[in-house]
């Protein structure tokens, strides 16, 4: 029997509800329970695929090709449970489904309304496709009081009623701010937030209080009194120096115990060994490497969330601290670029990206890494830029470019209009909608015998997640290979270049997919482990 834990947020946004949900999932797992996590997003986009990473952070892609909220990345990294299309829904998708039904006439003349039609659709989503897990943790995006969240709160209120207290638990995450002039933590915003939740009919069972300072017993008592809770159900959630400390901190504060108590479930001792080992390695590294990330969305680090985490995982695997140096690629453009900022990097990475701005700077960064023999990792756009760089500099194809930036006489990277997925042919055209039409999700890739990547993976067939519209043009393969760029990973039908590498270089790999999406702190991705290891070697040379 699946029990439902609904996680809402109050007072302010960005308190880390996604992380809180993920970490709770991890501790429940450590107690031996099976979990699944899911997110309800109140905005009107059908999915975050069309939203700018500047505004919304990274778009996380699942194996089944869904473009989802970055919180799903936290869920996977903390629990290892692969997310699916059925784990993230937005108001936009709910409405788009309902309106399509309405046009088909499926409502048989009924007036279509928020209650019950929208709320029913939300409830159906929350309760579908559960795999018989012990707990479904369902995070509601936004903060209580937002107009947009109302239908979601109403739907979970109804569900709470239908399931009963023994199958539904409401967790509310709030902020307890420290007011320096008063020298005190203030509980009033939390009280108001709980009242607001109550005004829509939701009685909070467990309160998670984010705060920068220790929550004294008096504050905990006061919150409990005013919010109609037992003191033990008011859980302090202090800032942690690493997100991977959070599962242990939650357990220490009794969060998982309260959840299990709420449901009247047994409380087997948790096995938190994997988390203590991760924290130990993070706190006591045996060295440090610096990795330069040459990108475009470097102001908002959430834009590269999974990437930053995967590099940290590579550090955990090698017992070193990985210092990330985020560099805006445009600084390497123009007649006299200054490479000073790359000079002390022990490795260089060009991540995924879209659009022409900054692309020439990325190509320059690739050239720097190739010529100076600094380990280079190109991910998606970073692989495409590496191929263009090689075509221009090693093959002398001056006009080598990608059609993403407009027509070109030498489309080394071109729009993909047809490809095979499993046994099906997928087709696209220039004028297709932008939403949901990229090559998305997990695809297989065959690694060449004796290649560097085959050695890194220790396997010949891999499966990785994609999210791109353009592809390295196979027609340039022979010329590029003659010039020293090996196409070491191909789609099983041999049509799509998936990985390129330079055998005569300490570490130079470009991949068309996003390996960072599958890395976990307790199971670092082999490419990141190997890349960070190469950075460690490099750090001993300079
Ligand atoms: N803009 C490129 C494409 O669409 C790369 C995308 C990416 O890096 N995710 O193919």
């Amino acid at each position: 029997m699946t029990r439902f834990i609904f996680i809402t947020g109050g007072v302010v946004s960005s308190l880390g509800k996604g992380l809180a949900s993920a970490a709770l999932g991890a501790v429940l797992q450590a107690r031996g329970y099976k979990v699944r996590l899911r997110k309800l997003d109140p905005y009107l986009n059908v999915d975050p695929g069309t939203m700018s990473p500047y505004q919304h952070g990274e778009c996380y892609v699942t194996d089944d090709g869904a473009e989802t909220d970055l919180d799903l990345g936290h869920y996977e990294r903390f629990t290892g449970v692969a997310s699916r299309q059925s784990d993230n829904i937005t108001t936009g998708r709910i409405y788009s489904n309902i309106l399509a039904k309405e046009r088909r006439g499926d409502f048989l003349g009924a007036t279509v309304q928020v209650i019950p039609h929208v709320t029913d659709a939300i409830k159906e989503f929350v309760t579908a496709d559960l795999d018989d897990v012990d707990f479904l943790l369902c995070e509601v995006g936004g903060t209580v009081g937002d107009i947009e969240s109302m239908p979601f709160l109403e739907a979970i209120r109804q569900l709470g009623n239908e399931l009963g207290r023994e199958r539904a638990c409401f967790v509310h995450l709030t902020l307890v701010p420290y007011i320096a002039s008063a020298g005190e933590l203030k509980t009033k915003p939390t009280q108001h937030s709980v009242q607001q939740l109550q005004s829509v009919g939701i009685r909070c069972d467990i309160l998670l209080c984010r705060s920068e300072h220790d929550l004294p017993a008096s504050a905990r008592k006061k919150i409990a009194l005013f919010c109609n809770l037992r003191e033990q159900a008011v859980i302090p959630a202090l800032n942690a120096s690493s997100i991977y400390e959070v599962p242990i901190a939650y357990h220490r504060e009794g969060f998982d115990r309260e959840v299990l108590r709420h449901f009247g479930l047994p409380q087997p001792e948790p096995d938190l060994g994997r988390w203590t080992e991760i924290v130990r390695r993070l706190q006591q590294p045996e060295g440090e490497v610096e990795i330069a990330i040459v990108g475009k969305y470097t102001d908002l680090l959430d834009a590269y969330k999974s990437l930053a985490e995967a590099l940290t995982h590579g550090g955990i695997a090698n017992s070193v601290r990985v210092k990330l140096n985020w560099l805006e690629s445009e600084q390497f453009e123009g007649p006299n670029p200054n490479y000073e900022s790359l000079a002390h990097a022990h490795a260089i990475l060009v991540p995924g990206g879209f659009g022409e701005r900054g692309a020439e700077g990325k190509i320059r960064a690739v050239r720097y890494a190739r010529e100076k023999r600094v380990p280079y990792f190109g991910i998606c756009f970073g692989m495409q830029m590496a191929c263009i760089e090689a075509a221009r500099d090693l093959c002398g194809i001056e006009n080598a470019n990608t059609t993403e930036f407009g027509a070109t006489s030498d489309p080394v990277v071109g729009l993909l209009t047809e490809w095979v997925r499993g046994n099906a042919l997928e087709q696209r055209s220039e004028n297709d909608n932008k939403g949901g039409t990229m090559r998305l999700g997990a695809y297989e890739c065959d690694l060449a015998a004796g290649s560097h990547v085959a050695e890194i993976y220790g396997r010949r067939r891999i499966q990785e997640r994609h999210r791109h519209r353009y592809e390295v043009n196979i027609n340039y393969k022979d010329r590029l290979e003659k010039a020293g760029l090996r196409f070491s990973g191909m789609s099983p039908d041999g049509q799509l270049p998936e990985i390129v590498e330079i055998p005569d270089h300490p570490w130079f790999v470009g991949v068309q997919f996003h390996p960072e999406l599958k890395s976990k702190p307790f199971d670092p991705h082999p490419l990141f482990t190997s890349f960070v290891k190469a950075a460690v070697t490099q750090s001993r040379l300079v």
Side-chain angles (χ1 to χ4, degrees):
M1 180 173 72
T2 302
R3 290 160 176 90
F4 294 78
I5 303 170
F6 297 103
I7 299 125
T8 55
V11 183
V12 291
S13 59
S14 305
L15 286 178
K17 228 181 316 135
L19 201 68
S21 310
L24 175 61
V27 214
L28 290 172
Q29 258 187 346
R31 295 256 201 185
Y33 289 102
K34 265 176 76 184
V35 302
R36 177 148 210 104
L37 289 102
R38 202 155 263 191
K39 181 161 188 208
L40 312 175
D41 271 312
Y43 50 75
L44 286 176
N45 302 62
V46 172
D47 62 44
T50 53
M51 288 158 96
S52 159
Y54 278 127
Q55 271 189 33
H56 195 71
E58 118 187 319
C59 171
Y60 189 78
V61 184
T62 59
D63 278 333
D64 61 359
E67 295 178 281
T68 71
D69 187 81
L70 59 76
D71 279 333
L72 275 79
H74 289 309
Y75 303 166
E76 278 201 35
R77 281 189 286 277
F78 276 80
T79 65
V81 178
S83 313
R84 297 196 286 250
Q85 176 86 63
S86 54
D87 292 322
N88 189 201
I89 197 129
T90 68
T91 301
R93 189 178 293 278
I94 299 259
Y95 273 83
S96 135
N97 292 347
I98 289 180
L99 294 177
K101 265 184 168 175
E102 189 274 337
R103 290 290 83 183
R104 279 200 306 269
D106 291 0
F107 290 107
L108 305 173
T111 309
V112 185
Q113 295 178 298
V114 173
I115 305 172
H117 300 100
V118 171
T119 46
D120 279 356
I122 298 171
K123 288 194 287 183
E124 207 173 293
F125 167 78
V126 172
T127 52
D129 198 17
L130 286 178
D131 296 342
D132 204 24
V133 291
D134 299 307
F135 295 106
L136 187 273
L137 284 74
C138 180
E139 176 191 351
V140 184
T143 12
V144 267
D146 296 349
I147 291 182
E148 289 182 333
S149 328
M150 293 307 272
F152 289 111
L153 294 178
E154 169 59 15
I156 63 169
R157 179 197 69 77
Q158 291 177 19
L159 264 179
N161 234 351
E162 290 161 23
L163 294 162
R165 282 180 58 75
E166 58 291 352
R167 282 192 68 197
C169 175
F170 291 94
V171 174
H172 190 53
L173 176 69
T174 69
L175 175 71
V176 181
Y178 179 76
I179 304 297
S181 57
E184 257 187 288
L185 286 168
K186 290 295 181 189
T187 65
K188 192 77 82 190
T190 295
Q191 296 174 35
H192 284 165
S193 186
V194 170
Q195 277 168 15
Q196 197 150 24
L197 204 55
Q198 248 159 17
S199 74
V200 296
I202 296 174
R203 184 189 182 289
C204 139
D205 297 305
I206 299 173
L207 198 56
L208 197 55
C209 299
R210 292 279 287 113
S211 132
E212 284 177 28
H213 293 263
D214 248 335
L215 199 66
S218 58
R220 205 169 168 178
K221 202 169 181 161
K222 190 169 171 188
I223 294 172
L225 181 66
F226 281 91
C227 298
N228 201 17
L229 288 166
R230 290 163 42 257
E231 257 175 75
Q232 297 91 316
V234 178
I235 315 283
L238 302 187
N239 288 357
S241 60
S242 152
I243 56 172
Y244 299 121
E245 286 172 23
V246 177
I248 298 168
Y250 278 177
H251 175 65
R252 197 174 45 235
E253 299 293 355
F255 189 13
D256 48 334
R257 186 197 59 219
E258 271 314 298
V259 169
L260 296 175
R261 182 186 179 280
H262 171 94
F263 291 117
L265 285 170
Q267 304 187 10
E269 264 311 296
D271 176 3
L272 290 164
R274 69 160 51 155
W275 298 106
T276 37
E277 176 58 14
I278 290 165
V279 171
R280 188 191 66 75
R281 286 186 182 221
L282 285 170
Q283 285 174 347
Q284 299 158 18
E286 287 159 19
E288 179 178 283
V289 291
E290 182 179 321
I291 295 184
I293 301 172
V294 183
K296 187 159 71 166
Y297 314 113
T298 49
D299 284 343
L300 179 70
L301 295 185
D302 268 359
Y304 298 116
K305 190 78 214 158
S306 295
L307 177 66
E309 292 309 320
L311 286 164
T312 303
H313 306 162
I316 292 173
N318 287 284
S319 292
V320 293
R321 194 176 100 84
V322 178
K323 190 174 154 211
L324 305 180
N325 191 12
W326 302 92
L327 300 173
E328 199 58 40
S329 62
E330 274 176 303
Q331 66 183 281
F332 305 120
E333 297 182 352
N336 296 308
N338 180 353
Y339 291 111
E340 187 67 27
S341 55
L342 289 179
H344 35 90
H346 303 126
I348 296 173
L349 189 150
V350 174
F354 291 82
E356 191 165 12
R357 185 174 71 75
E360 289 301 322
K362 293 178 188 177
I363 292 173
R364 294 257 174 95
V366 177
R367 182 162 305 162
Y368 179 95
R370 183 174 60 73
E371 289 181 345
K372 303 264 186 228
R373 302 180 66 77
V374 179
Y376 174 78
F377 195 2
I379 294 181
C380 206
F381 202 61
M383 169 199 184
Q384 298 174 355
M385 295 304 111
C387 291
I388 293 172
E389 194 282 321
R392 288 186 192 169
D393 211 48
L394 298 176
C395 308
I397 308 172
E398 260 170 53
N399 293 328
N401 218 325
T402 162
T403 57
E404 181 170 355
F405 312 153
T408 163
S409 55
D410 272 302
V412 168
V413 178
L415 180 72
L416 188 66
T417 52
E418 232 178 62
W419 67 89
V420 178
R421 174 169 214 164
N423 295 322
L425 184 70
E426 302 237 358
Q427 288 180 306
R428 299 284 188 271
S429 82
E430 196 97 39
N431 303 322
D432 272 351
N433 281 347
K434 287 279 177 279
T437 54
M438 286 190 249
R439 175 146 86 101
L440 289 168
Y443 281 84
E444 290 188 321
C445 161
D446 288 336
L447 308 178
S451 62
H452 189 194
V453 282
E455 181 200 318
I456 292 171
Y457 276 95
R459 265 180 296 150
R460 293 288 302 284
R461 172 156 289 189
I462 56 163
Q463 226 192 30
E464 295 282 4
R465 298 183 192 169
H466 289 250
R467 180 172 188 256
H468 53 102
R469 211 176 291 286
Y470 300 84
E471 201 88 36
V472 174
N473 187 341
I474 187 123
N475 297 326
Y476 290 85
K477 180 170 180 265
D478 289 348
R479 273 195 276 173
L480 284 164
E481 289 212 313
K482 272 201 198 88
L485 196 69
R486 180 171 189 191
F487 283 53
S488 52
M490 297 294 293
S491 60
D493 65 0
Q495 292 307 303
L496 303 172
E498 298 274 15
I499 306 178
V500 294
E501 62 185 55
I502 297 182
D504 179 25
H505 187 283
W507 207 101
F508 191 106
V509 176
V511 296
Q512 187 57 77
F513 44 80
H514 289 275
E516 70 273 25
L517 301 177
K518 295 218 308 200
S519 188
K520 323 265 184 321
F522 43 83
D523 184 17
H525 192 288
L527 283 172
F528 285 92
T529 301
S530 172
F531 179 57
V532 172
K533 190 165 174 225
V536 173
T537 309
Q538 179 75 9
S539 73
R540 297 197 176 123
L541 296 178
V542 290

